[in-house]
Amino acid sequence: ENREAYRSGRYYEAQLRQEFLNPFFEALGWDMFNRNNYAPQNREVIHEDSINIEGDSRAPDYCFRLGQTRKFFVEAKKPAVDIKYDIYPAYQLRRYAWNTQLPLSILTDFEEFAVYDCRNKPNPSDSAATARVMFLKYTEYIEKWDEIAAIFSRDAIWRGSFDKYAADTTSKKGTTEVDDAFLAEIEEWRTLLARNIALRNPQVSNERQLNFAVQMTIDRIIFLRICEDRRIEPEHQLLEMSKSAAIYSQMLKLFQRADIKYNSGLFHFTSEKGESTHADQFTPSLAIDDKVLKQIIKSIYYPSPYIFKEIPVEILGQVYEQFLGKVIRLTAGHQAKIEEKPEVRKAGGVYYTPKYIVDYIVANTVGKLLEGKTPNQVTELKIVDPACGSGSFLLGAFQYLLDWHEKWYLENGAEKWTRGKKPALIPIEGGAWKLTTAEKKRILVNNIYGVDIDAQAVEVTKLSLLLKVLEEESGQLSLGLERVLPDLGDNIRCGNSLIGWDYFEGQLIADQKEVERVNPFDWQRAFPQVFKAGGFDAVIGNPPYVRQESLGDDKKYFQAHYQVFAGTADLYSYFIEKGISLLAPMGQFSYIVANKWMRANYGKPLRTWLKTKCIEEITDFGDLPVFNKATTYPCIIRVSNNKPHLRPRITIMKSLEFNSLQDQVNSKQYLVKQDDFSDEGWSLVENNVQNILNKLSVCANPLEEYTNGKIFRGILTGLNEAFIINKTTHDQLIQEDPKCISLLKPFIIGREIKRYHPVNSQNYLIFIPRGWTNRNIMNSTNAWRWFMQNYPSIAKYLEPFSQNAEKRYDKGDYWWELRACAYYNEFEKPKILFPDISLRGNFTYDENGTFFSVNTSYIIPTNNLYLLGLLNSNLFTFAYSNISSSYRGGYLRYIYQYVAQLPIHTIDFSDPIEAAQHDRMVSLVERMLELHKRTAKTPHEQERLAAEIAATDAAIDLLVYQLYNLTEEEINIVEGAEG
């Protein structure tokens, strides 16, 4: 009977769900009816009411979750709907999942089961097959059950199989995720508004005014549209407004009403007593054409793919982070031009901090501060991001506080917190509770602070935080008669976190343009109550990465005011010192920054300064792509304002494939001795590895001392395309002018250097060092004419490069000369060569001093084959990899700073055993060099040669272990690292 009713279409969706779909997903392990009795907000499956209104943005019928994180939706349709071919149900599902950034979701009437890739931007005209990655009939369920369960079962979600399937299934080609699409949308709005405001408003006299006007107009429209979607504002009010004339004047009235309702700086047009934000009397004076506003408003209503109530505030922040990477410029003709900010262009783009990094840093700073406290005590906590950008870390901290407060109230008698003049909780449907708007507002104002040098970023942070206050609101606000939103003018401030007003000390009248550029900030004056209480309890964030070349005159200030100053230090070094200096006693500091400070020369003052602090943990991501499309070598450092315990916890991340960064850190973390950190560079190795490194330094000298400082970088030409030639060009030049052979030197580049291999290259260097011309021209007054007459083939070849060669900052006396260098003669001696980038020790020997090398390699002018054996050994690769940084793909960068530290055991030739060890090493290395000169033709010869090389290599490794007295256990550690 049920089957007949189903087939006849008499079933309604409620019956379908109850009798077919609920049992189906229960069979997949889901707790469809909360039989585990979880709190309402922690239920695995959320059931939505089934309604179907054209253009409505109601949620799909089911939401399946891992904890409180959505994983996929299921949209149920009655059997009369044709799942395979009907366009609208597919668009409805994809639209909702796309806005919430869910990769996969399901459309089904049980008879048919369709899985969609929801990362493709949905279009109402898409066919039902668009982005569909699986389609099954009910008759296939038994046969395909294992495949369905492997993706959509509860166990598959917990194991990560669902995420892996989504990653493998979803094609990035041609997809536009909601953040990319919305970024493109608001960038188009910015262009339209900027050009129109510049055209219609001659009173807009500078770029700051234009950027402010455009930013505030966009922010206000987005805010009100989101409130509409949440039923806080009347439906379609902006859309109806756009159908008449004089739209902007009507908008202003709407904005002014919003000021009365929300009390937000976003809509602050009239000065009021007690307000910290200055009233905006500028944007109401503007003229904006109806055509522009109609185009913007049309793009945010159905059939627009956006469901504004469902786009997470964090995603809006991510969009705005990219948006703020560009700025509006006013041309001389008063036209608007959109340009990328110089600092963004130099950095190669804007890189938004991934949510898992924000969550981890917040949990390990704010989370630790909350332990054992009550809401009254938490009121005193002050959290700041000194470079808040679009507010991602402040949003993360605010959300953590909201979740903590809600959990605390629920665990401490929920009902009593619903009573009184200022209740903290309000009951909602399904027996659940949520924080009142007033409570969220109280938490925000009491606990969250931020600073940014960019005024636009400050406004975006405020907008993001205000939207977070309203995030779960719909319809009637849970606030009573009080105006809804707080004024964040005292919390989120604009200024230069690193530079105070003493920058202009001694100047009677500061230059206004310089004041605007520097934008100095007085922390004590901006947050007097915070510093009266001792400072901030948590300092978190991702400070900007600005290279020292861009710091200009500010360096003088940093040198005078920061202990970590180094002339070549990136800006984040100063943010670290400033952030830690802002901490209250027992406070927690944590940033994600580039890890270069741990080993780079410019990081030495920072390392020395940090060694005196209480370093709690360092999590190093090495070359892992934490930031999409950028290799930034990031690390998380956490420091507390406590007495140093000298045992920081270290984690070296080897992969980003994890469900929880916290769990991954907990399983990989180890303690190190802070005293083992060298000012010359920090090696974040476990104690057993550090013990080996310490052992190597006994009875050894750093390579720098062993070679009397003779470790030289290859030749820098400044223009390789001019001064490096191939053999064909070399032969042609000599044929035209045999005399020029004296200026052509065989040379080798890094990638041509192979371990123990004979040096060989088909390239040459035009070698004319600084001073050569003047030594040779004698009485000639025209150097170039002399050069052309005496070396015509080379002069003719180089002449097309003259303009670029002249621009080199490190050229010789003339543009055709190389820079001055005190060690050019060292290249013509026997020498050890090695590349600057390699997977392991990769040293070889130039016996005759034939080859020069360029800047992708180094030389050690010596005929010491004992040294060559040490450097090529497994032990030295192990040592080097633990004192230097690894790069993308596991490569090591062999540079002077680290190579110079390698511990070379000095042979005591008066000791017969050591003398014999030395001689055996030399014999083995000679053998290796000879073996690599051999040519093996047949497979059998090749196999035998490879075996002989491996055996000789192993003998060298064993001898090196004996020289450094390594135990079997220590050898296993070294060999394990090599494997």
Side-chain angles (χ1 to χ4, degrees):
E1 182 181 343
N2 285 345
R3 189 180 297 114
E4 286 303 315
Y6 180 92
R7 288 177 175 173
S8 68
R10 296 195 304 270
Y11 258 65
Y12 291 102
E13 287 177 41
Q15 293 171 285
L16 171 72
R17 290 161 68 176
Q18 182 178 348
E19 297 182 25
F20 287 90
L21 294 181
N22 289 343
F24 180 89
F25 285 102
E26 278 193 313
L28 289 171
W30 291 100
D31 186 359
M32 299 300 291
F33 301 104
N34 197 25
R35 302 184 201 281
N36 289 320
N37 208 26
Y38 293 135
Q41 47 269 67
N42 294 321
R43 289 178 299 179
E44 290 182 355
V45 184
I46 303 298
H47 299 252
E48 298 288 346
D49 291 333
S50 182
I51 58 173
N52 190 5
I53 302 170
E54 181 80 7
D56 191 81
S57 57
R58 63 97 176 169
D61 297 279
Y62 300 93
C63 176
F64 290 79
R65 308 193 304 176
L66 179 64
Q68 294 185 2
T69 303
R70 293 163 163 168
K71 301 303 290 186
F72 66 92
F73 290 130
V74 172
E75 177 69 6
K77 294 298 177 186
K78 57 187 178 184
V81 174
D82 190 338
I83 298 294
K84 191 170 186 178
Y85 297 108
D86 198 342
I87 289 176
Y88 180 70
Y91 174 67
Q92 185 184 25
L93 173 73
R94 288 175 55 214
R95 180 175 177 239
Y96 213 95
W98 181 72
N99 276 271
T100 51
Q101 286 206 316
L102 298 187
L104 302 173
S105 282
I106 297 167
L107 179 66
T108 184
D109 60 358
F110 188 78
E111 184 181 13
E112 297 169 313
F113 183 92
V115 179
Y116 283 90
D117 169 1
C118 298
R119 292 183 186 176
N120 291 281
K121 183 180 178 181
N123 189 302
S125 62
D126 288 341
S127 74
T130 300
R132 193 163 60 202
V133 295
M134 182 188 292
F135 183 84
L136 301 173
K137 300 282 286 184
Y138 74 97
T139 53
E140 300 176 87
Y141 288 165
I142 294 176
E143 178 189 349
K144 300 283 188 179
W145 186 255
D146 288 345
E147 182 180 345
I148 297 170
I151 305 166
F152 293 104
S153 70
R154 182 181 182 277
D155 286 345
I157 298 292
W158 278 97
R159 289 195 311 268
S161 302
F162 172 89
D163 293 328
K164 187 176 187 307
Y165 176 81
D168 292 344
T169 301
T170 301
S171 172
K172 285 287 183 183
K173 186 177 180 181
T175 64
T176 305
E177 297 189 34
V178 65
D179 51 348
D180 295 327
F182 194 61
L183 173 62
E185 198 83 66
I186 63 172
E187 283 188 329
E188 184 179 357
W189 300 353
R190 171 169 57 193
T191 301
L192 289 169
L193 286 167
R195 289 175 178 171
N196 190 250
I197 292 172
L199 177 66
R200 299 296 184 206
N201 298 272
Q203 75 273 23
V204 176
S205 59
N206 57 54
E207 292 162 354
R208 293 191 317 281
Q209 293 173 358
L210 183 56
N211 278 280
F212 175 78
V214 171
Q215 182 81 57
M216 294 303 285
T217 304
I218 290 174
D219 290 355
R220 288 161 181 165
I221 290 172
I222 290 173
F223 180 88
L224 291 173
R225 181 66 185 89
I226 291 172
C227 288
E228 276 190 33
D229 242 15
R230 293 177 180 167
R231 305 289 193 265
I232 298 170
E233 286 287 314
E235 193 175 16
H236 296 157
Q237 62 178 351
L238 290 171
L239 183 62
E240 293 301 320
M241 187 181 296
S242 70
K243 295 175 182 177
S244 57
I247 299 173
Y248 189 60
S249 62
Q250 295 182 67
M251 267 191 176
L252 287 173
K253 293 176 182 176
L254 180 60
F255 295 162
Q256 287 158 356
R257 289 199 299 272
D259 183 23
I260 297 171
K261 183 173 184 178
Y262 298 107
N263 191 37
S264 164
L266 188 60
F267 303 105
H268 184 40
F269 302 102
T270 306
S271 297
E272 297 180 31
K273 187 177 180 180
E275 289 281 356
S276 60
T277 303
H278 294 289
D280 171 18
Q281 297 177 351
F282 174 66
T283 60
S285 68
L286 299 175
I288 304 177
D289 288 344
D290 287 352
K291 181 181 178 182
V292 169
L293 294 173
K294 281 183 179 181
Q295 185 173 337
I296 293 172
I297 292 170
K298 182 181 178 182
S299 68
I300 56 177
Y301 284 93
Y302 189 85
S304 159
Y306 304 111
I307 302 172
F308 286 94
K309 72 175 182 181
E310 288 298 344
I311 300 176
V313 174
E314 290 78 8
I315 297 302
L316 286 175
Q318 185 171 332
V319 169
Y320 265 119
E321 192 86 10
Q322 299 289 330
F323 182 80
L324 293 174
K326 295 180 181 177
V327 68
I328 307 164
R329 302 291 183 202
L330 262 180
T331 68
H334 209 263
Q335 292 182 324
K337 184 179 180 182
I338 314 299
E339 294 178 351
E340 197 168 47
K341 291 178 178 176
E343 62 270 26
V344 172
R345 184 171 60 252
K346 289 176 183 176
V350 176
Y351 306 112
Y352 191 80
T353 311
K355 187 175 184 299
Y356 68 88
I357 297 290
V358 174
D359 290 346
Y360 179 84
I361 287 178
V362 169
N364 286 278
T365 52
V366 179
K368 292 187 180 300
L369 293 168
L370 294 173
E371 291 174 2
K373 289 186 171 61
T374 66
N376 279 341
Q377 293 170 319
V378 171
T379 299
E380 303 303 318
L381 294 181
K382 308 300 178 187
I383 301 155
V384 71
D385 182 347
C388 61
S390 67
S392 58
F393 278 89
L394 297 183
L395 280 170
F398 185 34
Q399 184 64 62
Y400 196 96
L401 287 166
L402 296 178
D403 294 340
W404 182 88
H405 279 85
E406 184 178 275
K407 185 173 183 288
W408 193 93
Y409 289 133
L410 292 175
E411 290 176 351
N412 289 270
E415 285 197 15
K416 73 177 181 180
W417 301 105
T418 65
R419 299 190 289 267
K421 291 183 178 180
K422 294 185 177 179
L425 292 179
I426 187 172
I428 56 176
E429 293 179 11
W433 310 84
K434 71 174 184 178
L435 296 176
T436 62
T437 309
E439 177 66 2
K440 290 189 282 186
K441 174 179 169 181
R442 182 191 69 81
I443 295 167
L444 174 58
V445 172
N446 282 333
N447 300 127
I448 302 296
Y449 296 82
V451 179
D452 200 277
I453 194 171
D454 187 339
Q456 288 179 275
V458 167
E459 294 306 322
V460 169
T461 296
K462 290 179 183 178
L463 173 65
S464 298
L465 291 168
L466 295 176
L467 288 172
K468 177 62 73 173
V469 171
L470 298 178
E471 192 167 50
E472 294 181 359
E473 299 297 345
S474 60
Q476 184 63 43
L477 290 165
S478 54
L479 193 69
L481 299 176
E482 187 180 345
R483 290 162 81 179
V484 177
L485 295 174
D487 174 14
L488 294 178
D490 284 336
N491 293 64
I492 314 300
R493 309 296 292 263
C494 183
N496 189 330
S497 293
L498 300 178
I499 297 178
W501 282 97
D502 53 354
Y503 184 92
F504 298 100
E505 199 169 48
Q507 297 184 30
L508 187 61
I509 301 177
D511 178 80
Q512 190 57 37
K513 286 188 177 180
E514 185 69 353
V515 171
E516 291 170 5
R517 183 194 70 79
V518 174
N519 197 7
F521 186 71
D522 186 333
W523 281 90
Q524 301 284 338
R525 184 177 177 184
F527 306 117
Q529 296 306 314
V530 172
F531 290 101
K532 186 177 180 181
F536 288 96
D537 300 284
V539 178
I540 55 178
N542 176 8
Y545 300 4
V546 179
R547 297 184 65 177
Q548 58 92 12
E549 296 91 339
S550 302
L551 300 182
D553 291 340
D554 295 348
K555 282 188 186 181
K556 297 176 184 177
Y557 183 89
F558 296 143
Q559 185 173 16
H561 292 79
Y562 288 86
Q563 297 180 55
V564 303
F565 174 79
T568 56
D570 282 26
L571 193 67
Y572 67 76
S573 297
Y574 310 119
F575 268 102
I576 292 174
E577 180 178 338
K578 172 58 73 174
I580 294 173
S581 73
L582 296 173
L583 286 178
M586 312 296 287
Q588 295 282 339
F589 161 93
S590 188
Y591 281 168
I592 181 167
V593 293
N595 66 15
K596 294 179 181 179
W597 62 270
M598 285 191 276
R599 298 178 181 90
N601 284 331
Y602 73 71
K604 184 174 181 179
L606 177 58
R607 292 191 294 269
T608 303
W609 184 78
L610 277 173
K611 275 188 71 174
T612 67
K613 308 300 177 185
C614 184
I615 303 171
E616 298 288 354
E617 66 168 305
I618 299 174
T619 300
D620 192 356
F621 292 90
D623 64 351
L624 296 174
V626 170
F627 296 92
N628 190 28
K629 301 177 184 177
T631 303
T632 53
Y633 305 100
C635 72
I636 294 172
I637 179 171
R638 182 165 64 86
V639 177
S640 67
N641 192 10
N642 298 319
K643 182 180 178 181
H645 50 63
L646 304 179
R647 298 286 285 179
R649 292 180 289 279
I650 304 298
T651 309
I652 306 298
M653 298 296 296
K654 301 294 186 182
S655 168
L656 296 181
E657 294 183 6
F658 47 76
N659 289 326
S660 163
L661 176 56
Q662 186 68 66
D663 291 345
Q664 190 77 355
V665 168
N666 290 345
S667 66
K668 302 290 184 182
Q669 205 168 65
Y670 52 87
L671 294 173
V672 299
K673 297 176 182 176
Q674 196 164 312
D675 288 342
D676 285 337
F677 288 163
S678 166
D679 288 347
E680 300 306 315
W682 287 8
S683 177
L684 306 180
V685 296
E686 295 186 63
N687 286 332
N688 56 359
V689 173
Q690 186 62 52
N691 290 338
I692 295 175
L693 296 178
N694 293 342
K695 188 173 187 177
L696 297 185
S697 64
V698 177
C699 298
N701 293 319
L703 180 61
E704 182 179 35
E705 292 181 17
Y706 186 84
T707 62
N708 295 316
K710 289 192 173 185
I711 306 169
F712 301 121
R713 189 176 186 180
I715 295 171
L716 283 82
T717 72
L719 193 65
N720 284 355
E721 57 265 38
F723 294 96
I724 293 175
I725 59 175
N726 58 29
K727 191 174 189 307
T728 301
T729 303
H730 166 270
D731 293 346
Q732 184 179 339
L733 293 175
I734 293 175
Q735 184 178 1
E736 294 174 6
D737 177 19
K739 186 174 58 174
C740 77
I741 193 170
S742 64
L743 302 182
L744 303 177
K745 304 291 185 181
F747 93 98
I748 195 164
I749 58 177
R751 65 174 176 269
E752 294 174 319
I753 298 171
K754 306 297 181 186
R755 189 166 171 266
Y756 290 119
H757 279 244
V759 180
N760 188 24
S761 177
Q762 295 295 305
N763 294 309
Y764 294 82
L765 172 70
I766 298 176
F767 182 64
I768 310 173
R770 182 177 183 176
W772 177 89
T773 306
N774 287 333
R775 284 195 303 272
N776 286 278
I777 61 176
M778 306 299 287
N779 297 322
S780 176
T781 57
N782 190 313
W784 175 244
R785 183 183 301 164
W786 177 91
F787 187 52
M788 288 183 66
Q789 289 173 348
N790 288 272
Y791 295 90
S793 64
I794 291 182
K796 181 181 176 182
Y797 174 79
L798 286 177
E799 191 168 20
F801 300 100
S802 61
Q803 192 171 359
N804 287 333
E806 184 66 54
K807 293 177 182 176
R808 294 174 300 158
Y809 75 92
D810 57 352
K811 63 181 181 293
D813 295 323
Y814 303 96
W815 65 260
W816 57 89
E817 291 185 340
L818 302 179
R819 65 195 289 178
C821 177
Y823 57 85
Y824 280 140
N825 63 318
E826 303 287 357
F827 287 95
E828 300 187 88
K829 298 178 180 178
K831 56 187 172 291
I832 293 172
L833 295 132
F834 58 100
D836 67 341
I837 298 177
S838 184
L839 286 169
R840 58 152 301 146
N842 200 2
F843 297 78
T844 196
Y845 184 50
D846 178 16
E847 182 177 7
N848 299 314
T850 304
F851 285 86
F852 282 45
S853 68
V854 293
N855 64 320
T856 55
S857 57
Y858 285 77
I859 66 166
I860 305 173
T862 180
N863 58 0
N864 190 333
L865 298 187
Y866 163 78
L867 177 61
L868 180 61
L870 292 182
L871 295 173
N872 270 328
S873 68
N874 276 351
L875 180 58
F876 270 61
T877 295
F878 167 82
Y880 192 83
S881 66
N882 282 294
I883 63 174
S884 69
S885 302
S886 64
Y887 289 77
R888 198 75 178 261
Y891 283 88
L892 299 169
R893 189 82 187 270
Y894 280 79
I895 56 179
Y896 184 92
Q897 178 188 346
Y898 307 133
V899 173
Q901 299 176 42
L902 287 170
I904 308 302
H905 177 80
T906 304
I907 295 293
D908 180 1
F909 286 98
S910 66
D911 183 334
I913 295 176
E914 287 211 354
Q917 288 175 321
H918 171 271
D919 293 345
R920 176 163 169 73
M921 175 69 80
V922 171
S923 296
L924 288 168
V925 171
E926 288 175 337
R927 180 68 173 160
M928 284 292 275
L929 292 170
E930 190 274 328
L931 288 170
H932 281 88
K933 291 177 183 176
R934 289 187 187 179
T935 301
K937 296 182 178 179
T938 69
H940 175 69
E941 289 176 338
Q942 292 169 355
E943 183 177 347
R944 188 177 62 189
L945 179 60
E948 197 170 350
I949 288 173
T952 308
D953 214 8
I956 290 174
D957 283 334
L958 180 60
L959 181 56
V960 175
Y961 295 143
Q962 291 170 355
L963 279 164
Y964 288 87
N965 297 313
L966 262 63
T967 65
E968 184 175 348
E969 182 183 355
E970 290 167 338
I971 293 171
N972 288 335
I973 292 172
V974 172
E975 298 288 351
E978 286 298 308

